[in-house]
Amino acid sequence: MEEIAKKKVLSCIQPSGMLTLGNYIGALKNWLNMQEEFDCTYAVADLHAITVRQEPAKLRQQIYSTAALLLALGIDPEKSNIFIQSHVPAHSQLSWILSCYTQFGELSRMTQFKEKSAKHTDNVNAGLFSYPVLMASDILLYKPDLVPVGADQKQHLEIARDIATRFNHTYGDVFTIPDAYIPKVGARVMSLQDPTKKMSKSDENINAWVAILDSKDDIIRKFKRAVTDSEARVCIGENKAGINNLIGIYSAVTGKTAEQITAEFEGRGYGDFKLAVGEAVAEELRPIRERYETFIADKKQLEDIYRMGDEKAAYIANKTLSKVMKKVGFVL
Ligand code: ATP
Ligand code: LTN
């Protein structure tokens, strides 16, 4: 019987700090779920990480720890390709080319640029501005059908599609137009301290976010302190951003619907609910935390895995890059 080619998936994650429950529910959980059905490529986006200042020794450590975390999560290098973005120069090369096919105006409209430039006023660098072009290059080099990301990356996915469509329109069918793959629940996990803001590892208040590698006690403590409201009923509602967020998190880790969760906690206080969410999250993350220790302790194994991944990625990326260069009119 003829084998049907699997659809392709690509995504990347920045090694810019401790990965959070937001990264896990919004993106990484799908990375894992997709690996059986799809042909998946996952990268550590170290080039993106330097759009904000990083300490060299810390960055190096975080690149290793992000790669180890992907393995701990259950991403299997025999099934999915794991590599490091900066090890495949085609990403930077295509990024330059595509930046000449991207308008200043469209980059100026990016919400993340506006937010990050407001936050790092002393370092509004050109890389921060052209970040979506590098991201478009990461994606388009591998011709994926689907890109699993959290809701905050939707706008970047749209600009990648626009750039690809424009390029194809001028030069013929070069790029596949990818679709974003955003989870139905947990696409935007909010801060536990200010549930109107996205949960972010760069939040200075450590109680605002849960790291995937936090201990059980820390996780439970952070959920116990989560900001809620005074209504004391576990249900989705307006002006209940804190509870809505906790319901979303509980739903994402247990698979229960919001209605089932409301029924489960009918007549019980927020204290019980927060504890249940904390315990469910700690239990979901426990095996990842345990496996992480093994992977991070063996640098040689980690290096072997990403070197193999780098090579496979470079082969595919260089083919796309050559095609683009030919189309643009460079002499090869
Ligand atoms: P920062 O918070 O420092 O800006 P980040 O966590 O948004 O960084 P990445 O580490 O590159 O940036 O994100 C990796 C993936 O995690 C992306 O797909 C992103 O959409 C997703 N993600 C990040 N934060 C959340 C969140 N709070 N809720 C859902 N998904 C998220
Ligand atoms: N900008 C993304 C990380 C990222 C990415 C990508 C995601 C870089 N390149 C390519 C998907 C596909 C973020 O989540 N902050």
Side-chain angles (χ1 to χ4, degrees):
M1 211 170 68
E2 201 182 323
E3 227 183 279
I4 302 168
K6 286 181 174 177
K7 282 198 170 181
K8 290 195 207 121
V9 163
L10 175 124
S11 200
C12 306
I13 190 148
Q14 300 185 74
S16 49
M18 300 270 269
L19 296 185
T20 69
L21 182 66
N23 297 131
Y24 176 72
I25 294 178
L28 297 175
K29 209 168 150 57
N30 273 337
W31 291 22
L32 181 65
N33 291 338
M34 292 173 105
Q35 84 171 346
E36 300 300 332
E37 192 183 339
F38 300 98
D39 174 6
C40 301
T41 302
Y42 299 127
V44 177
D46 53 351
L47 295 172
H48 277 102
I50 65 161
T51 52
V52 302
R53 281 288 160 264
Q54 304 286 345
E55 252 177 64
K58 228 167 146 188
L59 177 60
R60 213 166 285 130
Q61 188 47 42
Q62 279 165 193
I63 294 170
Y64 280 118
S65 100
T66 306
L69 199 83
L70 296 184
L71 297 170
L73 199 71
I75 298 194
D76 177 353
E78 298 285 323
K79 294 181 186 155
S80 307
N81 202 29
I82 301 176
F83 74 100
I84 296 180
Q85 182 193 33
S86 68
H87 294 184
V88 180
H91 291 242
S92 309
Q93 292 170 289
L94 183 63
S95 185
W96 171 256
I97 297 175
L98 293 185
S99 72
C100 302
Y101 294 81
T102 309
Q103 298 302 305
F104 180 88
E106 53 187 343
L107 288 176
S108 313
R109 286 193 289 275
M110 295 292 112
T111 316
Q112 183 179 294
F113 171 70
K114 289 189 215 160
E115 283 172 6
K116 291 217 168 160
S117 52
K119 197 164 160 195
H120 304 274
T121 44
D122 56 334
N123 185 22
V124 185
N125 60 72
L128 196 61
F129 186 67
S130 58
Y131 178 117
V133 184
L134 178 59
M135 179 161 161
S137 308
D138 297 338
I139 298 169
L140 299 176
L141 281 171
Y142 300 91
K143 305 189 176 170
D145 301 284
L146 295 170
V147 181
V149 282
D152 62 308
Q153 294 302 312
K154 197 163 173 253
Q155 203 183 24
H156 289 162
L157 238 298
E158 272 155 20
I159 199 172
R161 288 166 56 93
D162 290 345
I163 296 169
T165 307
R166 196 175 304 144
F167 195 91
N168 284 355
H169 190 71
T170 313
Y171 298 106
D173 235 2
V174 177
F175 297 126
T176 301
I177 312 299
D179 282 316
Y181 189 93
I182 297 173
K184 287 198 183 66
V185 276
R188 197 172 160 79
V189 176
M190 310 308 274
S191 152
L192 298 183
Q193 291 297 313
D194 176 358
T196 60
K197 275 185 3 199
K198 166 185 123 159
M199 179 182 283
S200 167
K201 57 201 167 207
S202 42
D203 200 316
E204 277 131 35
N205 183 349
I206 56 158
N207 289 318
W209 52 280
V210 168
I212 297 178
L213 297 175
D214 270 349
S215 69
K216 180 174 180 179
D217 287 352
D218 282 344
I219 295 175
I220 290 178
R221 183 178 43 80
K222 288 180 186 180
F223 277 104
K224 275 190 184 159
R225 290 189 186 173
V227 168
T228 49
D229 55 77
S230 54
E231 198 199 5
R233 182 156 186 261
V234 178
C235 60
I236 300 282
E238 266 177 57
N239 306 319
K240 285 174 76 76
I243 285 294
N244 294 347
N245 187 37
L246 295 183
I247 291 177
I249 293 172
Y250 194 58
S251 170
V253 296
T254 61
K256 295 174 186 169
T257 63
E259 291 74 29
Q260 287 168 333
I261 296 169
T262 297
E264 183 180 345
F265 291 93
E266 201 60 72
R268 292 162 68 187
Y270 283 166
D272 274 8
F273 178 52
K274 289 190 203 177
L275 183 64
V277 182
E279 280 178 343
V281 168
E283 193 46 34
E284 167 104 358
L285 299 179
R286 186 177 51 80
I288 304 174
R289 201 165 52 236
E290 288 168 2
R291 284 196 297 260
Y292 172 81
E293 295 306 330
T294 326
F295 286 113
I296 198 66
D298 191 346
K299 285 253 165 74
K300 168 81 176 64
Q301 185 196 20
L302 262 186
E303 278 174 12
D304 287 347
I305 290 171
Y306 70 65
R307 294 244 180 270
M308 189 175 72
D310 295 344
E311 220 174 282
K312 282 199 224 161
Y315 177 77
I316 301 169
N318 288 336
K319 274 214 300 210
T320 309
L321 180 65
S322 296
K323 190 162 177 190
V324 168
M325 290 176 74
K326 238 188 265 171
K327 292 281 186 186
V328 169
F330 291 126
V331 175
L332 295 188

